[in-house]
Amino acid sequence: MKKIRAINVSYKIIRANDIHRTVYPYLRDSEGNKIMYSLSPNHGRSFLIGRNNDGKFIISKGNGLSYTQYKMLNTGEFGNDTWGLLLRNDAIRDFTLGMEINSLGIKTNQMEYVLELEKDIVLTNGNIIKPILLQYNVECPYRISDAAFMSQKQIKEEIEKWKYINDKNFTDYYLIAADILIRNLRILHDNKILHNAIHEQNYTWALELLDFELACSPQNPYTSEEYRRHVKSLFPREIIQTYIIINYIANVLNESINHNSVDELFKEYGFNLNNYNCKNKN
């Protein structure tokens, strides 16, 4: 865990969940008197800020870069989209879709605020923008992809909690996780929601689904006609992406994965992988 200095900046609230949490309008600054924590390089623009009274960890996203001497970097390839910062529309989509998906019974991060900081940032393309922050809380601040930056003790403590959600009495932890992840995918697809970024960086070790800035739903569709045209074809790949996370978890936990068991779980939830099986021509 790495300490990062930050300053407290004036702000206005763009979106708010009705939970009345403390606001943390922090922006990375080497001379600042506030402290944020970077858990790993995987969290490039996301920081651990502290904990709520209920024990949940507070995360803020868009506060600057955590892994260089520079607070933010704009390479020009994505216009105003800048390494370390968060675009306003992306933050609002993340917040809105996250709230929607959480309401369906999928365990996610709990959204708190979208903030606009009263600080002008001059980009390399000459444009001036104000930083946007997404603030939320989670049960576990570490993501599945952070395994290399965690101790075995930390991982063990997290997966022991899975026993309380083990409805099918699995003895292997990866199967407990698989059941949750595949169930989540079933709920998403039944509601015609495309997450569009399912991988090991967007699940925590508490099996919380994160990061909805690329997601879409019937209530919150893509605005681009081109994106809307491709949505339907993107759903099946999320089956494979979920499988990859299950493999990753099994490997981290040194469990020998039984692919027949995993395939049967997918089939149980209506994802028959045989429908996508490519066969040799005789």
Side-chain angles (χ1 to χ4, degrees), residues 203-223:
Y203 266 105
T204 73
W205 278 99
L207 302 181
E208 299 159 292
L209 182 59
L210 310 176
D211 203 341
F212 310 102
E213 66 187 70
L214 297 178
C216 72
S217 72
Q219 288 74 34
N220 295 280
Y222 293 134
T223 55

PDB file of all heavy atoms in Angstrom, residues 203-223:
ATOM      1  N   TYR A 203     -13.830  -7.204 -10.438  1.00  0.00           N
ATOM      2  CA  TYR A 203     -14.451  -7.897  -9.311  1.00  0.00           C
ATOM      3  C   TYR A 203     -13.525  -7.770  -8.117  1.00  0.00           C
ATOM      4  O   TYR A 203     -12.304  -7.924  -8.253  1.00  0.00           O
ATOM      5  CB  TYR A 203     -14.657  -9.386  -9.611  1.00  0.00           C
ATOM      6  CG  TYR A 203     -16.017  -9.736 -10.163  1.00  0.00           C
ATOM      7  CD1 TYR A 203     -16.179 -10.039 -11.515  1.00  0.00           C
ATOM      8  CD2 TYR A 203     -17.142  -9.784  -9.341  1.00  0.00           C
ATOM      9  CE1 TYR A 203     -17.421 -10.379 -12.025  1.00  0.00           C
ATOM     10  CE2 TYR A 203     -18.392 -10.120  -9.845  1.00  0.00           C
ATOM     11  CZ  TYR A 203     -18.524 -10.418 -11.185  1.00  0.00           C
ATOM     12  OH  TYR A 203     -19.765 -10.743 -11.680  1.00  0.00           O
ATOM     13  N   THR A 204     -14.087  -7.492  -6.943  1.00  0.00           N
ATOM     14  CA  THR A 204     -13.278  -7.486  -5.727  1.00  0.00           C
ATOM     15  C   THR A 204     -13.219  -8.896  -5.160  1.00  0.00           C
ATOM     16  O   THR A 204     -13.956  -9.791  -5.577  1.00  0.00           O
ATOM     17  CB  THR A 204     -13.866  -6.546  -4.660  1.00  0.00           C
ATOM     18  OG1 THR A 204     -15.051  -7.151  -4.101  1.00  0.00           O
ATOM     19  CG2 THR A 204     -14.206  -5.184  -5.239  1.00  0.00           C
ATOM     20  N   TRP A 205     -12.380  -9.079  -4.138  1.00  0.00           N
ATOM     21  CA  TRP A 205     -12.301 -10.377  -3.468  1.00  0.00           C
ATOM     22  C   TRP A 205     -13.520 -10.629  -2.581  1.00  0.00           C
ATOM     23  O   TRP A 205     -13.675 -11.722  -2.027  1.00  0.00           O
ATOM     24  CB  TRP A 205     -10.996 -10.508  -2.683  1.00  0.00           C
ATOM     25  CG  TRP A 205      -9.853 -10.915  -3.561  1.00  0.00           C
ATOM     26  CD1 TRP A 205      -8.908 -10.105  -4.099  1.00  0.00           C
ATOM     27  CD2 TRP A 205      -9.570 -12.235  -4.038  1.00  0.00           C
ATOM     28  NE1 TRP A 205      -8.036 -10.828  -4.881  1.00  0.00           N
ATOM     29  CE2 TRP A 205      -8.416 -12.140  -4.855  1.00  0.00           C
ATOM     30  CE3 TRP A 205     -10.161 -13.488  -3.854  1.00  0.00           C
ATOM     31  CZ2 TRP A 205      -7.848 -13.255  -5.486  1.00  0.00           C
ATOM     32  CZ3 TRP A 205      -9.599 -14.589  -4.483  1.00  0.00           C
ATOM     33  CH2 TRP A 205      -8.458 -14.471  -5.289  1.00  0.00           C
ATOM     34  N   ALA A 206     -14.407  -9.648  -2.467  1.00  0.00           N
ATOM     35  CA  ALA A 206     -15.711  -9.873  -1.831  1.00  0.00           C
ATOM     36  C   ALA A 206     -16.748 -10.215  -2.898  1.00  0.00           C
ATOM     37  O   ALA A 206     -17.944 -10.265  -2.618  1.00  0.00           O
ATOM     38  CB  ALA A 206     -16.145  -8.648  -1.037  1.00  0.00           C
ATOM     39  N   LEU A 207     -16.285 -10.436  -4.130  1.00  0.00           N
ATOM     40  CA  LEU A 207     -17.124 -10.768  -5.287  1.00  0.00           C
ATOM     41  C   LEU A 207     -18.134  -9.661  -5.586  1.00  0.00           C
ATOM     42  O   LEU A 207     -19.278  -9.908  -5.954  1.00  0.00           O
ATOM     43  CB  LEU A 207     -17.827 -12.116  -5.086  1.00  0.00           C
ATOM     44  CG  LEU A 207     -16.888 -13.307  -4.834  1.00  0.00           C
ATOM     45  CD1 LEU A 207     -17.682 -14.596  -4.682  1.00  0.00           C
ATOM     46  CD2 LEU A 207     -15.838 -13.436  -5.942  1.00  0.00           C
ATOM     47  N   GLU A 208     -17.662  -8.419  -5.452  1.00  0.00           N
ATOM     48  CA  GLU A 208     -18.449  -7.245  -5.817  1.00  0.00           C
ATOM     49  C   GLU A 208     -18.094  -6.854  -7.251  1.00  0.00           C
ATOM     50  O   GLU A 208     -16.920  -6.686  -7.584  1.00  0.00           O
ATOM     51  CB  GLU A 208     -18.127  -6.077  -4.885  1.00  0.00           C
ATOM     52  CG  GLU A 208     -18.430  -6.337  -3.418  1.00  0.00           C
ATOM     53  CD  GLU A 208     -17.663  -5.411  -2.491  1.00  0.00           C
ATOM     54  OE1 GLU A 208     -16.411  -5.545  -2.417  1.00  0.00           O
ATOM     55  OE2 GLU A 208     -18.300  -4.565  -1.843  1.00  0.00           O
ATOM     56  N   LEU A 209     -19.094  -6.688  -8.078  1.00  0.00           N
ATOM     57  CA  LEU A 209     -18.893  -6.255  -9.453  1.00  0.00           C
ATOM     58  C   LEU A 209     -18.730  -4.739  -9.494  1.00  0.00           C
ATOM     59  O   LEU A 209     -19.512  -4.008  -8.877  1.00  0.00           O
ATOM     60  CB  LEU A 209     -20.086  -6.682 -10.310  1.00  0.00           C
ATOM     61  CG  LEU A 209     -20.031  -6.360 -11.799  1.00  0.00           C
ATOM     62  CD1 LEU A 209     -18.821  -7.011 -12.468  1.00  0.00           C
ATOM     63  CD2 LEU A 209     -21.327  -6.808 -12.480  1.00  0.00           C
ATOM     64  N   LEU A 210     -17.703  -4.276 -10.233  1.00  0.00           N
ATOM     65  CA  LEU A 210     -17.368  -2.847 -10.293  1.00  0.00           C
ATOM     66  C   LEU A 210     -17.347  -2.340 -11.730  1.00  0.00           C
ATOM     67  O   LEU A 210     -17.412  -3.116 -12.675  1.00  0.00           O
ATOM     68  CB  LEU A 210     -15.974  -2.601  -9.694  1.00  0.00           C
ATOM     69  CG  LEU A 210     -15.617  -3.179  -8.330  1.00  0.00           C
ATOM     70  CD1 LEU A 210     -14.154  -2.879  -8.025  1.00  0.00           C
ATOM     71  CD2 LEU A 210     -16.525  -2.615  -7.251  1.00  0.00           C
ATOM     72  N   ASP A 211     -17.208  -1.039 -11.852  1.00  0.00           N
ATOM     73  CA  ASP A 211     -16.827  -0.350 -13.096  1.00  0.00           C
ATOM     74  C   ASP A 211     -17.874  -0.507 -14.200  1.00  0.00           C
ATOM     75  O   ASP A 211     -17.794  -1.404 -15.033  1.00  0.00           O
ATOM     76  CB  ASP A 211     -15.470  -0.854 -13.593  1.00  0.00           C
ATOM     77  CG  ASP A 211     -14.794   0.164 -14.499  1.00  0.00           C
ATOM     78  OD1 ASP A 211     -15.500   1.038 -15.016  1.00  0.00           O
ATOM     79  OD2 ASP A 211     -13.569   0.085 -14.687  1.00  0.00           O
ATOM     80  N   PHE A 212     -18.794   0.434 -14.240  1.00  0.00           N
ATOM     81  CA  PHE A 212     -19.920   0.360 -15.172  1.00  0.00           C
ATOM     82  C   PHE A 212     -19.897   1.467 -16.216  1.00  0.00           C
ATOM     83  O   PHE A 212     -20.911   1.731 -16.853  1.00  0.00           O
ATOM     84  CB  PHE A 212     -21.229   0.415 -14.375  1.00  0.00           C
ATOM     85  CG  PHE A 212     -21.259  -0.569 -13.233  1.00  0.00           C
ATOM     86  CD1 PHE A 212     -21.035  -0.149 -11.929  1.00  0.00           C
ATOM     87  CD2 PHE A 212     -21.467  -1.917 -13.456  1.00  0.00           C
ATOM     88  CE1 PHE A 212     -21.042  -1.049 -10.872  1.00  0.00           C
ATOM     89  CE2 PHE A 212     -21.484  -2.827 -12.410  1.00  0.00           C
ATOM     90  CZ  PHE A 212     -21.264  -2.394 -11.108  1.00  0.00           C
ATOM     91  N   GLU A 213     -18.763   2.103 -16.407  1.00  0.00           N
ATOM     92  CA  GLU A 213     -18.723   3.252 -17.321  1.00  0.00           C
ATOM     93  C   GLU A 213     -18.863   2.836 -18.784  1.00  0.00           C
ATOM     94  O   GLU A 213     -19.185   3.660 -19.640  1.00  0.00           O
ATOM     95  CB  GLU A 213     -17.453   4.084 -17.124  1.00  0.00           C
ATOM     96  CG  GLU A 213     -16.165   3.395 -17.502  1.00  0.00           C
ATOM     97  CD  GLU A 213     -14.953   4.230 -17.121  1.00  0.00           C
ATOM     98  OE1 GLU A 213     -14.669   4.374 -15.922  1.00  0.00           O
ATOM     99  OE2 GLU A 213     -14.297   4.738 -18.039  1.00  0.00           O
ATOM    100  N   LEU A 214     -18.627   1.539 -19.084  1.00  0.00           N
ATOM    101  CA  LEU A 214     -18.808   1.045 -20.449  1.00  0.00           C
ATOM    102  C   LEU A 214     -20.103   0.256 -20.612  1.00  0.00           C
ATOM    103  O   LEU A 214     -20.389  -0.260 -21.685  1.00  0.00           O
ATOM    104  CB  LEU A 214     -17.622   0.162 -20.855  1.00  0.00           C
ATOM    105  CG  LEU A 214     -16.253   0.840 -20.921  1.00  0.00           C
ATOM    106  CD1 LEU A 214     -15.181  -0.172 -21.296  1.00  0.00           C
ATOM    107  CD2 LEU A 214     -16.262   1.996 -21.914  1.00  0.00           C
ATOM    108  N   ALA A 215     -20.878   0.145 -19.535  1.00  0.00           N
ATOM    109  CA  ALA A 215     -22.084  -0.678 -19.550  1.00  0.00           C
ATOM    110  C   ALA A 215     -23.244   0.041 -20.238  1.00  0.00           C
ATOM    111  O   ALA A 215     -23.236   1.263 -20.407  1.00  0.00           O
ATOM    112  CB  ALA A 215     -22.480  -1.056 -18.124  1.00  0.00           C
ATOM    113  N   CYS A 216     -24.252  -0.741 -20.610  1.00  0.00           N
ATOM    114  CA  CYS A 216     -25.478  -0.167 -21.155  1.00  0.00           C
ATOM    115  C   CYS A 216     -26.654  -1.050 -20.773  1.00  0.00           C
ATOM    116  O   CYS A 216     -26.493  -2.235 -20.472  1.00  0.00           O
ATOM    117  CB  CYS A 216     -25.398  -0.003 -22.670  1.00  0.00           C
ATOM    118  SG  CYS A 216     -25.466  -1.559 -23.585  1.00  0.00           S
ATOM    119  N   SER A 217     -27.841  -0.453 -20.761  1.00  0.00           N
ATOM    120  CA  SER A 217     -29.068  -1.177 -20.447  1.00  0.00           C
ATOM    121  C   SER A 217     -30.189  -0.550 -21.250  1.00  0.00           C
ATOM    122  O   SER A 217     -30.029   0.539 -21.827  1.00  0.00           O
ATOM    123  CB  SER A 217     -29.365  -1.077 -18.944  1.00  0.00           C
ATOM    124  OG  SER A 217     -29.794   0.233 -18.609  1.00  0.00           O
ATOM    125  N   PRO A 218     -31.360  -1.194 -21.300  1.00  0.00           N
ATOM    126  CA  PRO A 218     -32.490  -0.559 -22.005  1.00  0.00           C
ATOM    127  C   PRO A 218     -32.841   0.812 -21.434  1.00  0.00           C
ATOM    128  O   PRO A 218     -33.265   1.710 -22.170  1.00  0.00           O
ATOM    129  CB  PRO A 218     -33.629  -1.558 -21.787  1.00  0.00           C
ATOM    130  CG  PRO A 218     -32.940  -2.884 -21.653  1.00  0.00           C
ATOM    131  CD  PRO A 218     -31.673  -2.577 -20.897  1.00  0.00           C
ATOM    132  N   GLN A 219     -32.656   0.980 -20.113  1.00  0.00           N
ATOM    133  CA  GLN A 219     -32.948   2.279 -19.493  1.00  0.00           C
ATOM    134  C   GLN A 219     -31.833   3.294 -19.735  1.00  0.00           C
ATOM    135  O   GLN A 219     -32.069   4.500 -19.727  1.00  0.00           O
ATOM    136  CB  GLN A 219     -33.139   2.107 -17.979  1.00  0.00           C
ATOM    137  CG  GLN A 219     -34.439   1.421 -17.575  1.00  0.00           C
ATOM    138  CD  GLN A 219     -34.410  -0.073 -17.861  1.00  0.00           C
ATOM    139  OE1 GLN A 219     -33.356  -0.715 -17.751  1.00  0.00           O
ATOM    140  NE2 GLN A 219     -35.544  -0.631 -18.223  1.00  0.00           N
ATOM    141  N   ASN A 220     -30.619   2.783 -19.941  1.00  0.00           N
ATOM    142  CA  ASN A 220     -29.454   3.658 -20.154  1.00  0.00           C
ATOM    143  C   ASN A 220     -28.651   3.153 -21.357  1.00  0.00           C
ATOM    144  O   ASN A 220     -27.551   2.623 -21.219  1.00  0.00           O
ATOM    145  CB  ASN A 220     -28.574   3.675 -18.899  1.00  0.00           C
ATOM    146  CG  ASN A 220     -29.273   4.302 -17.717  1.00  0.00           C
ATOM    147  OD1 ASN A 220     -29.347   5.518 -17.593  1.00  0.00           O
ATOM    148  ND2 ASN A 220     -29.815   3.468 -16.833  1.00  0.00           N
ATOM    149  N   PRO A 221     -29.206   3.330 -22.561  1.00  0.00           N
ATOM    150  CA  PRO A 221     -28.535   2.818 -23.766  1.00  0.00           C
ATOM    151  C   PRO A 221     -27.343   3.681 -24.167  1.00  0.00           C
ATOM    152  O   PRO A 221     -27.171   4.796 -23.678  1.00  0.00           O
ATOM    153  CB  PRO A 221     -29.639   2.899 -24.821  1.00  0.00           C
ATOM    154  CG  PRO A 221     -30.485   4.050 -24.370  1.00  0.00           C
ATOM    155  CD  PRO A 221     -30.469   4.003 -22.863  1.00  0.00           C
ATOM    156  N   TYR A 222     -26.542   3.146 -25.070  1.00  0.00           N
ATOM    157  CA  TYR A 222     -25.473   3.955 -25.651  1.00  0.00           C
ATOM    158  C   TYR A 222     -26.093   5.061 -26.502  1.00  0.00           C
ATOM    159  O   TYR A 222     -27.154   4.883 -27.103  1.00  0.00           O
ATOM    160  CB  TYR A 222     -24.558   3.102 -26.519  1.00  0.00           C
ATOM    161  CG  TYR A 222     -23.742   2.081 -25.761  1.00  0.00           C
ATOM    162  CD1 TYR A 222     -23.639   0.765 -26.214  1.00  0.00           C
ATOM    163  CD2 TYR A 222     -23.067   2.419 -24.592  1.00  0.00           C
ATOM    164  CE1 TYR A 222     -22.890  -0.177 -25.533  1.00  0.00           C
ATOM    165  CE2 TYR A 222     -22.322   1.486 -23.901  1.00  0.00           C
ATOM    166  CZ  TYR A 222     -22.237   0.188 -24.379  1.00  0.00           C
ATOM    167  OH  TYR A 222     -21.499  -0.742 -23.696  1.00  0.00           O
ATOM    168  N   THR A 223     -25.416   6.196 -26.554  1.00  0.00           N
ATOM    169  CA  THR A 223     -25.917   7.303 -27.362  1.00  0.00           C
ATOM    170  C   THR A 223     -25.474   7.194 -28.816  1.00  0.00           C
ATOM    171  O   THR A 223     -26.109   7.730 -29.711  1.00  0.00           O
ATOM    172  CB  THR A 223     -25.446   8.649 -26.785  1.00  0.00           C
ATOM    173  OG1 THR A 223     -24.013   8.641 -26.676  1.00  0.00           O
ATOM    174  CG2 THR A 223     -26.037   8.867 -25.394  1.00  0.00           C
TER     175      THR A 223
END
